[in-house]
Amino acid sequence: FFSKILIAGYTSILPLFAFYLLASNDFNFFTISEKLYRGLFSVYGPVSQSLFPLFILLSHSNKDLFKKNILRQLYFQLTLATVVVIGLIYFSEDILMLYSKGMFNETSRLTLILMFLSYPFMIVGNILGLQFLVTQGYIKIMNNCFLAGTILMLSFLLLSFFNIITINLGYFVLFSEILVAIPILYNSYKKW
């Protein structure tokens, strides 16, 4: 439960504050990019959740097979995500034109590209955090990683809100996924 709240914290804070940070036209383009980003995740999420019971079973019955399957899933999903992200980046202008009814904004394209680039980091965090660390009983470590992501996202937003920094919000999504994935990767390596 606490993990879900923390994940929602660093992934959902940005859309809530984007309305205050952006002009109305920029907000509209950000909303399109954000919906496309979330839409892609809605395809990935159920696949990941369906593997969780298998990983719990394997983690208690066969550690070697469990670790082999974790690595197999990590490689497979990262490879698939890389191919999908490259395709989405290539067609990002067309995608935005389709969803924005013919209007195009290069800033929104950059936002969308940055959001798409965060997917491989999200996959690392998901597989090594939720599938590996949680099934091994390291929930507190994983929660701390997600808490760090939430705190960093809030910090970025506060700096933007008070006009201390001005940055494309797509960078916030990318930075938060990277800053969550790095400690999860490190802790997974230590606990492997």
Side-chain angles (χ1 to χ4, degrees):
F1 174 74
F2 191 60
S3 301
K4 291 286 186 185
I5 290 173
L6 291 172
I7 292 169
Y10 86 90
T11 59
S12 300
I13 290 171
L14 185 60
L16 293 174
F17 282 93
F19 178 76
Y20 297 104
L21 297 173
L22 299 173
S24 63
N25 195 35
D26 292 337
F27 178 72
N28 291 337
F29 280 114
F30 172 77
T31 302
I32 292 168
S33 298
E34 206 267 333
K35 286 186 188 294
L36 290 168
Y37 170 74
R38 296 282 166 226
L40 184 58
F41 179 73
S42 70
V43 173
Y44 168 76
V47 172
S48 175
Q49 292 170 357
S50 68
L51 294 172
F52 189 71
L54 171 67
F55 287 138
I56 287 177
L57 180 67
L58 288 175
S59 73
H60 296 296
S61 63
N62 189 337
K63 294 273 189 203
D64 291 333
L65 186 57
F66 167 69
K67 290 178 181 180
K68 184 187 285 186
N69 277 313
I70 288 284
L71 287 177
R72 198 177 289 154
Q73 274 305 309
L74 186 62
Y75 295 143
F76 172 74
Q77 290 186 28
L78 282 175
T79 302
L80 182 62
T82 301
V83 170
V84 169
V85 165
I86 289 170
L88 290 171
I89 289 171
Y90 181 77
F91 292 108
S92 60
E93 183 174 344
D94 298 325
I95 292 168
L96 284 171
M97 292 286 279
L98 177 69
Y99 283 95
S100 64
K101 298 179 181 166
M103 296 173 61
F104 177 72
N105 180 322
E106 189 60 37
T107 303
S108 69
R109 182 173 180 260
L110 176 61
T111 301
L112 186 61
I113 288 171
L114 291 168
M115 289 176 162
F116 285 157
L117 287 174
S118 71
Y119 271 108
F121 299 101
M122 181 184 63
I123 288 171
V124 167
N126 187 305
I127 292 178
L128 294 179
L130 295 173
Q131 312 292 355
F132 177 72
L133 289 175
V134 168
T135 56
Q136 297 297 297
Y138 302 114
I139 296 170
K140 187 174 181 179
I141 290 172
M142 191 202 61
N143 284 343
N144 287 338
C145 295
F146 288 135
L147 179 62
T150 301
I151 290 169
L152 288 167
M153 182 60 82
L154 280 172
S155 301
F156 289 149
L157 287 171
L158 287 174
L159 292 173
S160 284
F161 192 72
F162 292 109
N163 293 322
I164 296 170
I165 61 170
T166 305
I167 190 169
N168 185 304
L169 296 183
Y171 284 111
F172 289 170
V173 174
L174 181 60
F175 290 156
S176 66
E177 290 295 347
I178 290 171
L179 294 172
V180 167
I182 289 172
I184 286 175
L185 184 62
Y186 172 75
N187 283 294
S188 297
Y189 177 76
K190 275 180 37 178
K191 304 297 183 186
W192 193 262

